[in-house]
């Protein structure tokens, strides 16, 4: 908190008074006077009021007091259940401070500070309350202790400035001046390099030394003694040194500080100081873009801080690198990756014990759910030779941190067991450390079986890696193969006996530290039990007997492997037959469904013909020759999930049976929609130019009833850039098909247009995707959301369909800052009762899971979990291959299948069926799978005269 110029002037005058008086009482009075001048809030209103007003206000006050007491009791109970509820701590402290419960308030702050590093605002409020109550020397010492704790949580210039100013009140005590200087020096070491806030500390330090200088001045008209003269020179040198040190550091308002130095100094400024000043100015110019980026960026500013960190890393100054990391962490204290990078830098570069361990401790207190930070902390403590008891105590804290995955507990146990193993001297047969290691292994196995499996329904260690490591330690380091065999026996009984790699791991251990008899026994059991790769195990057994076995051993091994492989092959053959039978059933079901659809379609067509929907014959045309049989292609719905499917309108429009125009229909009035459809039907089809895919987006899932899609979509996409063309796709009847192409002038506009994906247009989510030909890129898939584990995002199911985004946000924001909410809908825009909620960090998401899972929303019990979508199932290549054997090659008919002009124009009564057994569907003869291995031959082209002769011959 940087003071205004007027306040700094008052502070300077007070410093002079306190230094001159040298009395503690004067210093305390000055500090209290300073606090009075700072705004504390609205002043209490005075004056008398009528009795009725007093009674009303007292009644309201009593009601509010009772409500606050009930809320305080509720918060305390909640914290007794979950001590790591950060927001609950904040609410409790706020209420206790409002009620004036100083004892409870101090205790609540103390508990919170033990669990979490406190922010700058919380510390300043706490310090301010304690300073008001500190009048005696012992109480001032407690405030000093509180300041020491505050400066260790985060590097905050405001707290250091308050600490230095408070210490000035004790200059009347013995060694008071030196203590103030010590605090100022520590503050400069911590935050004196802060580009934007460091100047305030340098100025306060100089003002303090100037006040001391004035007290050393002799009385007017008197001659200073040699001691006084020496003290004056020493004090002037201190101030001059402060100026020179400050001017060598890149800080804002350096020019003003240099001008002040020129005015203050009676001697010319040394060349070295000027050179350092100019160098610092150049460095400041390099830092300004990063400081300006931070000033203009919105929270959390991670990208801006990372750029600043990279810049300082290139400079290589450890103090500046540490400071920028600390600045970033002060604003992003709940980002585990940032803590991990900072700790890694300290571990590898600075290697200062106090600094490294302090940073690791703050990391795990801020992000206790991140197992990687705990592991790094244990390694750092071991690296700096911290006492074993302290490390064990820290490990116990890690177990109670509340990890969100079962595998996290396996990792932290493994790290601790590695540490215990490194403590053991295995040259001794027995030792206290070895017994502790074995006890820890046993406890780890039991902990995963009981605690972790009860919470997560899994141990997190299906392959029993901890027991495997235990067996390796016993076999290789303790020469205790009997214990190792017992452990492996437990491992195999936990469902691992069917895996070849587990047996081979045990075999290798026996091979290295056991004997041949146990190796043979293990391989014989492996041949009997292995189900995934039995051939490999059989090969290893035969190799062993070939090298070390007798003839009897060889014969036994050959017989056992042959019998086992014969059973395996028989089982595989049965499984293949069963799979083939299932596949055949699926094909039969698919054929039945296909036939049912064909019959249904045929019945609909017959019904349409019966009600008179036939071609009308024009009496003016030449008999049968004037008839036009129009094969109407049913409209197809565009299928897809928002992904781009390149549709090429490559069909030509027939103008008549013989190339002439059809019979003219009498004019009749039509509505505007019918006119538009007719005009679109007569419009020539525009082919899509695939060379413009980079500047084109594919838009789908639009409403079929959208009027003037060109105008509507142009209004939507003009915000992304200049639109070159919009090409809606219409059916042969002229109706809109629900998808189109939007072509831009520039590629960046097309990329920006992808951001409109899932935008609701006329009640439906509009899908916007890149324009990609799926015939050329069959594996192309666009899905804008992550399909992996996201610890800061929640998946909510069971929501009522009527739940809106705003209502869900009201429920979720009580547990943290909500960044985004996405309600899952179907293609028609209807909700599916699912949602994804993104929080700022993992801590808030974890807290929300605990609070919201099982919550009732509009009579619906919702389920809440960390977002971890299951893997998407890929289509079976084998089935796709079998299906493709009977499919007619798509390229025979073009990109969209059989077009309008590829329908047979021959009357059905005159058609000859080449395959009597084939079924006709919609008037088209389809070959059976047995006869459709080759593409159908195209009919020979005939002229109009040839066609007429053929009919007359009939």
């Amino acid at each position: 908190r940087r003071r205004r110029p007027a306040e700094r002037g008052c502070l300077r005058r007070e410093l002079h008074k306190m230094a001159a008086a040298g009395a503690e009482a004067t210093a305390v009075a000055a500090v209290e006077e300073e606090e009075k001048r700072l705004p504390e809030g609205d002043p209490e209103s005075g004056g008398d009021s009528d009795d009725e007003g007093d009674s009303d206000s007292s009644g309201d006050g009593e009601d509010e007091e009772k409500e606050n007491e009930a809320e305080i009791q509720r918060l305390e109970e909640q914290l007794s259940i979950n001590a790591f509820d950060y927001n609950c701590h904040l609410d409790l402290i706020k209420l206790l401070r409002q009620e004036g419960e100083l004892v409870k308030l101090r205790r609540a702050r103390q508990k919170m500070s033990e669990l979490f590093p406190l922010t700058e605002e919380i510390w300043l409020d706490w310090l301010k309350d304690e300073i008001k109550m500190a009048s005696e020397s012992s109480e001032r010492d407690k405030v000093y202790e509180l300041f020491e704790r505050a400066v260790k949580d985060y590097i905050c210039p405001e707290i250091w400035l308050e600490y230095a100013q408070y210490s000035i009140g004790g200059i009347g005590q013995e060694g008071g001046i030196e203590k103030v200087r010590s605090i100022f020096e520590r503050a400069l070491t911590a935050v004196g390099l802060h580009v934007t806030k460091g100047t305030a500390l340098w100025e306060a330090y100089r003002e303090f030394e100037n006040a001391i200088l004035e007290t050393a001045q002799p009385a007017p008209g008197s001659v200073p003694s040699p001691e006084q003269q020496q003290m004056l020179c020493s004090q002037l040198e201190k101030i001059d040194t402060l100026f020179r040190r400050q001017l060598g550091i890149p800080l804002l308002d350096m020019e003003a500080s240099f001008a002040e130095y020129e005015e203050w100094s009676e001697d010319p400024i040394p060349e070295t100081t000027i050179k350092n000043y100019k160098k610092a100015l150049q460095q400041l110019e390099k830092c300004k873009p990063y400081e300006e980026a931070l000033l203009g960026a919105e929270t959390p500013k991670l990208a801006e801080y990372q750029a600043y960190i990279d810049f300082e890393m290139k400079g290589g100054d450890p103090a500046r690198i540490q400071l920028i990391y600390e600045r970033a962490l002060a604003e992003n204290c709940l980002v585990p990756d940032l803590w991990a990078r900072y700790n890694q830098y300290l571990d590898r570069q600075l290697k200062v014990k106090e600094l490294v361990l302090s940073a690791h401790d703050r990391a795990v207190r801020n992000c206790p759910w991140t197992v990687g930070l705990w592991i790094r902390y244990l390694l750092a403590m071991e690296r700096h030779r911290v006492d074993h008891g302290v490390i064990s105590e820290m490990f116990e804290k890690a177990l109670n941190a509340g990890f969100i995955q079962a595998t996290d507990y396996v990792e932290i146990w493994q790290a601790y067991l590695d540490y215990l193993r490194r403590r053991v001297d295995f040259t001794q047969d027995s030792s206290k450390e070895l017994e502790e290691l074995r006890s820890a292994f046993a406890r780890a196995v039991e902990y995963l079986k009981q605690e972790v499996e009860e919470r997560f329904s899994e141990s997190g260690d299906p392959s029993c890696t901890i027991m495997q490591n235990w067996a390796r330690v016993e076999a290789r380091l303790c020469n205790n193969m009997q214990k190792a065999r017992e452990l492996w026996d437990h491992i195999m009984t936990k469902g691992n006996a069917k895996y070849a790699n587990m047996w081979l791991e045990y075999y290798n251990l026996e091979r290295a530290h056991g004997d041949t008899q146990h190796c043979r026994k293990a391989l014989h059991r492996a041949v009997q039990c292995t189900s995934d790769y039995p051939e490999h195990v059989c090969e290893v057994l035969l190799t062993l007997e070939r090298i070390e076995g007798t003839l009897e051993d060889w014969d036994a091994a050959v017989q056992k492997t042959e019998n086992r492989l014969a059973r395996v092959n028989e089982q595989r053959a049965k499984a293949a037959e069963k799979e083939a039978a299932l596949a055949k059933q699926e094909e039969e079901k698919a054929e039945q469904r296909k036939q049912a659809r064909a019959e249904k379609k045929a019945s609909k067509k017959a019904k349409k013909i019966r009600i008179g929907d036939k071609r009308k014959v024009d009496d003016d045309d030449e008999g049968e020759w004037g008839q036009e049989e129009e094969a109407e292609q049913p409209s197809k719905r565009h299928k897809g999930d928002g992904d781009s499917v390149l549709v090429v309108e490559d069909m030509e429009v027939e103008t008549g049976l013989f190339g002439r125009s059809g019979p003219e229909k009498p004019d009749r009035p039509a509505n505007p929609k019918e006119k538009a459809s007719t005009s679109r039907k007569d419009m020539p089809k525009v082919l899509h130019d695939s060379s413009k895919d980079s500047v084109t987006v594919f838009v789908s899932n639009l409403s079929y009833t959208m009027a003037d899609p060109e105008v509507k979509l142009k209004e939507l996409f003009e915000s992304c850039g200049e639109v070159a063309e919009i090409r809606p796709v219409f059916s042969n009847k002229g109706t809109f098909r629900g998808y189109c192409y939007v072509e831009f002038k520039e590629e960046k506009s097309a990329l920006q247009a992808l951001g409109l994906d899932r935008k609701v247009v006329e009640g439906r989510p509009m899908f916007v995707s890149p324009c990609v030909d799926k015939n050329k890129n069959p594996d192309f898939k666009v899905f804008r959301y992550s399909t992996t584990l996201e610890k800061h995002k929640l998946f909510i199911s069971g929501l009522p369909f009527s739940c809106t985004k705003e209502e869900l946000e009201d429920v979720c924001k009580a547990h943290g800052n909500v960044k985004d909410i996405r309600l899952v809908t179907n293609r028609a825009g209807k909700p599916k009762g699912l949602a994804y909620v993104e929080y700022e960090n993992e801590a808030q998401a974890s807290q929300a899971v605990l609070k919201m899972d099982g919550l009732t929303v509009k009579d619906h019990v919702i389920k809440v979990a960390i977002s971890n979508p299951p893997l998407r199932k890929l289509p079976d290549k084998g089935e796709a291959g079998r299906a493709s054997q009977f499919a007619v090659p798509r390229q025979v008919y073009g990109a969209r299948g059989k077009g309008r002009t590829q329908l047979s124009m021959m009357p059905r009564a005159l058609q000859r069926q080449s395959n009597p057994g084939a079924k006709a569907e919609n008037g088209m003869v389809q070959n059976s799978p047995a006869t459709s291995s080759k593409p159908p031959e195209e009919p020979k082209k005939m002229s109009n005269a040839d066609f007429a002769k053929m009919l007359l011959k009939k």
Side-chain angles (χ1 to χ4, degrees), residues 164-229:
Q165 291 173 349
Y166 179 74
S167 67
I168 294 175
I171 59 176
Q173 299 177 353
E174 183 179 356
I177 294 178
E178 293 304 321
K179 185 173 184 178
V180 174
R181 284 174 176 159
S182 173
I183 293 173
F184 267 119
E185 288 294 337
R186 289 173 57 200
L188 293 180
T189 302
V191 293
L193 298 178
H194 199 298
V195 175
T196 57
K197 299 181 179 180
T199 304
L201 272 169
W202 289 98
E203 290 179 354
Y205 196 0
R206 289 204 316 274
E207 288 174 359
F208 170 74
E209 295 294 351
N210 276 321
I212 300 299
L213 176 64
E214 290 190 12
T215 61
Q217 294 287 351
S222 63
V223 177
S225 64
E227 292 79 8
Q228 289 179 328
Q229 189 66 34

Side-chain angles (χ1 to χ4, degrees), residues 506-605:
Y506 172 48
Y507 166 74
N508 291 330
L509 189 67
E510 280 285 1
R511 192 72 172 156
H513 307 284
D515 52 58
T516 304
Q517 185 62 29
H518 282 91
C519 289
R520 181 177 291 110
K521 185 178 178 181
L523 289 178
H524 276 276
R525 289 180 61 195
V527 169
Q528 190 69 27
C529 301
T530 301
S531 60
D532 55 351
Y533 298 105
E535 295 88 351
H536 189 35
V537 175
C538 292
E539 182 181 353
V540 175
L541 175 58
L542 294 176
T543 301
L544 173 67
E545 301 300 359
R546 179 175 285 112
I547 296 174
E548 299 187 14
T550 63
L551 179 59
E552 290 77 10
D553 294 334
W554 172 262
D555 290 340
V558 170
Q559 182 179 358
K560 193 174 189 69
T561 55
E562 287 178 351
N563 292 339
R564 175 58 177 163
L565 293 179
R567 289 196 302 271
V568 168
N569 291 331
E570 182 180 351
Q571 292 172 358
R572 289 174 178 173
K574 289 181 179 179
E577 291 177 1
K578 187 176 180 180
E579 183 180 355
L582 291 175
K584 186 176 181 181
Q585 291 178 4
E586 291 296 329
E587 290 177 1
E588 291 175 354
K589 290 181 181 179
E591 185 65 26
Q592 291 174 2
R593 288 194 295 268
K594 185 176 180 181
Q595 291 178 3
R597 287 196 299 267
E599 292 172 0
K600 186 176 181 180
K601 194 178 294 184
S603 64
K604 285 184 178 179
K605 192 167 186 178

Side-chain angles (χ1 to χ4, degrees), residues 244-258:
R244 287 187 280 109
R245 288 170 60 190
Q246 179 183 354
L247 293 175
I249 300 172
L251 301 170
L252 290 183
D253 300 330
M254 288 188 67
E255 297 83 355
S257 299
F258 186 76

Side-chain angles (χ1 to χ4, degrees), residues 316-333:
D317 186 347
R320 298 191 63 83
I321 295 172
Q322 180 194 356
L323 180 62
I324 191 60
Y325 262 121
E326 290 287 353
R327 289 177 59 184
L329 289 167
E331 296 190 41
N332 301 278
C333 59

Side-chain angles (χ1 to χ4, degrees), residues 570-785:
E570 182 180 351
Q571 292 172 358
R572 289 174 178 173
K574 289 181 179 179
E577 291 177 1
K578 187 176 180 180
E579 183 180 355
L582 291 175
K584 186 176 181 181
Q585 291 178 4
E586 291 296 329
E587 290 177 1
E588 291 175 354
K589 290 181 181 179
E591 185 65 26
Q592 291 174 2
R593 288 194 295 268
K594 185 176 180 181
Q595 291 178 3
R597 287 196 299 267
E599 292 172 0
K600 186 176 181 180
K601 194 178 294 184
S603 64
K604 285 184 178 179
K605 192 167 186 178
K607 184 178 179 181
K608 195 178 291 184
I609 293 175
R610 283 198 300 272
I611 63 176
D613 190 13
K614 296 183 178 180
R615 297 284 188 270
K616 292 184 179 180
V617 181
D618 192 344
D619 296 334
D620 295 336
D621 286 345
E622 299 178 7
E624 294 180 355
W625 308 107
Q627 295 181 359
E628 176 183 344
E629 183 173 356
E630 179 179 353
E632 201 172 90
Q633 180 182 2
S635 61
K636 300 177 183 178
R637 291 190 178 183
H638 173 66
K639 296 181 179 181
D641 209 1
D643 301 282
S644 173
V645 178
L646 187 63
V647 182
V648 182
E649 298 289 347
D650 58 353
M651 298 185 296
E652 299 176 357
V653 180
E654 291 286 337
T655 57
L657 186 59
F658 302 115
R660 305 190 300 270
S661 299
E664 295 182 0
K665 296 185 179 180
D667 296 335
R668 62 183 179 87
N671 57 37
K673 290 186 177 181
E674 291 178 343
K675 289 182 180 180
S677 300
T678 304
S679 63
R680 293 178 185 131
K681 180 177 179 181
D682 296 337
M683 289 176 60
K685 305 293 182 180
V686 180
L687 297 178
H688 173 68
D689 186 0
S690 60
S691 64
K692 296 183 178 180
D693 284 351
S694 61
V695 295
T696 307
V697 295
F698 180 74
V699 183
S700 61
N701 202 46
L702 298 170
S703 174
Y704 296 155
T705 60
M706 180 181 288
D708 295 328
E710 297 97 329
V711 178
K712 179 72 174 178
L713 295 176
K714 189 171 183 179
E715 294 176 355
L716 286 173
F717 286 96
E718 275 184 338
S719 61
C720 303
E722 185 177 356
V723 179
E725 183 183 8
I726 295 180
R727 296 191 299 278
V729 179
F730 299 96
S731 67
N732 295 323
K733 293 182 180 181
T735 58
F736 182 45
R737 297 289 298 275
Y739 53 93
C740 67
Y741 298 92
V742 179
E743 182 182 328
F744 292 92
K745 292 287 188 181
E746 298 178 347
E747 184 176 351
K748 65 179 182 180
S749 302
L751 295 175
Q752 187 176 352
L754 298 176
L756 298 178
D757 186 34
R758 265 67 177 186
K759 180 178 177 64
V760 178
V761 178
E762 295 190 0
R764 295 173 64 90
M766 174 180 67
F767 298 158
V768 184
S769 53
C771 189
V772 177
D773 188 350
K774 279 200 168 181
N775 292 327
K776 299 179 181 179
N777 301 276
D779 297 330
F780 178 78
K781 187 74 175 176
V782 174
F783 191 69
R784 61 183 291 188
Y785 303 107

Side-chain angles (χ1 to χ4, degrees), residues 385-434:
R385 304 184 183 282
V386 177
D387 184 69
H388 171 62
V390 177
I391 297 179
S392 298
E393 182 181 352
M394 192 57 60
F395 168 71
E396 295 298 333
K397 287 184 179 180
L399 288 181
N400 297 321
F403 300 130
I404 60 178
Q405 295 184 96
T407 54
D408 292 344
Y409 288 93
V410 179
E411 292 180 24
I412 193 65
W413 266 111
Q414 192 59 64
Y416 183 60
L417 292 169
D418 292 344
Y419 157 70
L420 293 179
R421 195 267 306 163
R422 289 190 286 266
R423 296 182 66 242
V424 179
D425 182 7
F426 290 100
T427 59
Q428 301 178 8
D429 294 337
S430 179
S431 63
K432 179 181 177 182
E433 291 78 8
L434 178 58

